[in-house]
Amino acid sequence: MKSLTDVQNTAFMAIGPSRIAALSLLALSREQQGAKEADPKTVLDLSVQRLSAAYGMLGDGLDALLEECSYSFPEGLEAKRTACLEALAPLHRAISQPGSDALDSIRAIPGLSDLCLYRLEPVVSDFLKDMVQNLREAQQMRELEREESMRATIANAEGVGRNIKFISFNASIEAARIGEMGKGFAVIATEIRELSGKTQHLLEEISGYLKH
């Protein structure tokens, strides 16, 4: 199972480039390619790829990753995710129309400049910032809960070890009372007591590592 840190990194890498992709498409639509040596088709293809990846990640992609981690966004963050999808939707529709020129479809988007310059970038950046913080804090909480659970399990195991050691000690006493017939049983009881002591010492070491 992926950790929430893995989800954070995967989602960020897929969604983040959509901001520069939108600006690149805006520049191409205005025929204002910054670098003359740049191949417009290469820039167009890369921008379309980045926007498609971002739109897919914001939709089903994130749903699948979060489900795998048994996690869901809080209501406020989910609303920001929806705002990102809505901001990307016009561009995604334009580049997804079969049999049409992508740049012509992009140029036909109403308010294209405002969308790319003033709407899309802020909502995507705001979502990414809050997503990173939310998933980081959630992962830290999970790790703390996991450590507490491990400590509780170790404490229980230590208690069992002490009981076994106590029982084996009593068994040694009873074997001594029996005399010659109890010698074999006494040897076994001693070995159990020594093994219990070693196990308890190991558990104490593990517990110490978790406290650091």
Side-chain angles (χ1 to χ4, degrees):
M1 177 182 292
K2 292 181 178 291
S3 70
L4 293 177
T5 301
D6 294 329
V7 175
Q8 168 195 312
N9 294 336
T10 302
F12 193 96
M13 292 299 293
I15 299 169
S18 65
R19 296 167 292 183
I20 189 65
L23 295 177
S24 296
L25 290 177
L26 176 62
L28 286 173
S29 71
R30 292 176 170 180
E31 298 181 348
Q32 293 178 349
Q33 192 67 20
K36 293 181 179 180
E37 68 274 11
D39 179 8
K41 185 179 185 307
T42 300
V43 175
L44 175 62
D45 291 345
L46 181 59
S47 299
V48 167
Q49 179 184 347
R50 287 172 170 173
L51 280 171
S52 297
Y55 195 83
M57 178 57 67
L58 283 163
D60 294 339
L62 259 176
D63 286 335
L65 291 175
L66 293 172
E67 183 179 359
E68 186 178 350
C69 292
S70 301
Y71 185 75
S72 58
F73 287 146
E75 184 176 346
L77 186 56
E78 193 61 47
K80 292 185 177 183
R81 175 186 174 189
T82 300
C84 288
L85 281 168
E86 292 174 350
L88 284 170
L91 287 168
H92 185 258
R93 284 194 298 268
I95 63 177
S96 302
Q97 293 180 10
S100 63
D101 183 87
L103 280 179
D104 287 342
S105 299
I106 291 169
R107 291 188 184 102
I109 297 175
L112 177 63
S113 296
D114 286 342
L115 172 64
C116 295
L117 293 173
Y118 305 115
R119 184 183 171 199
L120 190 148
E121 196 283 332
V123 296
V124 170
S125 295
D126 188 43
F127 169 74
L128 289 176
K129 176 178 67 69
D130 287 358
M131 180 196 71
V132 167
Q133 180 178 354
N134 176 265
L135 292 179
R136 181 187 296 122
E137 292 175 351
Q139 182 63 33
Q140 290 173 347
M141 183 61 66
R142 286 189 170 189
E143 290 173 357
L144 286 174
E145 291 174 352
R146 179 173 174 271
E147 288 181 7
E148 289 299 325
S149 177
M150 289 178 64
R151 288 192 183 100
T153 300
I154 290 172
N156 290 334
E158 288 175 341
V160 172
R162 284 192 293 270
N163 287 336
I164 292 175
K165 191 174 183 179
F166 179 72
I167 291 171
S168 65
F169 181 74
N170 286 340
S172 298
I173 294 175
E174 293 300 321
R177 289 179 179 176
I178 296 174
E180 189 68 25
M181 295 179 60
K183 284 185 177 180
F185 187 70
V187 172
I188 295 174
T190 300
E191 290 179 353
I192 292 175
R193 185 167 65 254
E194 291 177 353
L195 180 60
S196 173
K198 292 178 181 179
T199 302
Q200 188 171 349
H201 178 70
L202 178 60
L203 290 171
E204 288 172 354
E205 285 187 348
I206 295 174
S207 180
Y209 292 147
L210 288 174
K211 293 176 182 177
H212 287 43

